[in-house]
Amino acid sequence: MKGYVKVFSMAIASFFFSVLAMAQLPVEIFAGHKKATADIMFFRYFKKKEGHLSDWLFFNRNRAGIDYAMTTTSGLPQFGFTEAVSYNRKKWKGFAPVAVVQIMNKGVYPKAGIQFSNIHSNVTIFSWLVCETLKDPSIDWFFLGRYTPGLTGKLNLFLQIELLNTLPSGQENYFNFIQRLRLGVQSTRCQFGLGADFTAAGRNTFTATQNTGLFLRHEF
């Protein structure tokens, strides 16, 4: 119990640090037919003293979910906090070494690997391949693709695809596959539309879940 409280305290501290340290926070609320989630995710370059952007890119992800069928023993709230820092040189064409720390319900997971980022006004591609630095490590492949072309003078299409594949090295750990889709419209700092989350976990046999509904995303 003490260990859980410690992890939860670290997670809350990480959340408030990110909120206080950064302006223009994009917050997504997703109301699905099985659960509701809140998600804060952004990546920004650190600035130098002169005001210019440095080669260091900071990635922040704070995510929490509540199952509508929650009881005292099942469907408990879930949270995940991901902080990552990468060193990006222009001559590396978007590739960079990255260090990641994930804080979840089950514990703290340090990771390291290779990242790729290509960020423009209407197109974003962000991905990494990282491995845990713990015993019997898992390998994560994360991909985020976002496309926001113009539709009218005031509206843009908002299309986002997110993939997270976890491949374990230990014989007793599970494979995990997550896909998140968002399709809607964007008006200035607000995006809204349809969303769907799909998950599958297991080893020889897999348990699959899906959660479909509406999302509202706003950059504060």
Side-chain angles (χ1 to χ4, degrees), residues 120-124 145-151 155-160 184-186 191 217:
H120 297 284
S121 58
N122 293 329
V123 178
T124 296
R146 186 181 297 154
Y147 183 47
T148 58
L151 296 176
L155 292 178
N156 289 56
L157 175 71
F158 184 83
L159 173 62
Q160 181 171 287
V185 294
Q186 172 177 301
Q191 302 89 30
R217 186 175 181 272

Side-chain angles (χ1 to χ4, degrees), residues 35-136:
K35 65 168 58 178
T37 61
D39 197 341
I40 299 174
M41 178 175 62
F42 61 86
F43 25 85
R44 297 202 178 100
Y45 286 94
F46 289 106
K47 290 186 178 180
K48 300 179 181 179
K49 293 182 179 179
E50 303 82 14
H52 302 296
L53 297 180
S54 71
D55 294 329
W56 294 95
L57 180 65
F58 175 61
F59 175 92
N60 175 281
R61 181 73 175 277
N62 304 303
R63 182 177 174 83
I66 298 179
D67 197 311
Y68 301 145
M70 179 180 61
T71 67
T72 56
T73 57
S74 64
L76 298 177
Q78 296 182 334
F79 64 82
F81 299 81
T82 302
E83 317 294 334
V85 176
S86 59
Y87 183 63
N88 300 260
R89 298 292 299 273
K90 290 184 179 180
K91 63 180 180 180
W92 293 344
K93 306 299 181 181
F95 290 94
V98 61
V100 182
V101 174
Q102 287 188 317
I103 305 172
M104 306 177 70
N105 296 63
K106 297 180 180 180
V108 180
Y109 303 91
K111 304 178 181 183
I114 299 296
Q115 174 185 285
F116 176 79
S117 63
N118 191 344
I119 304 172
H120 297 284
S121 58
N122 293 329
V123 178
T124 296
I125 297 176
F126 187 88
S127 182
W128 67 45
L129 182 67
V130 296
C131 181
E132 291 177 353
T133 59
L134 305 173
K135 184 180 179 181
D136 295 329

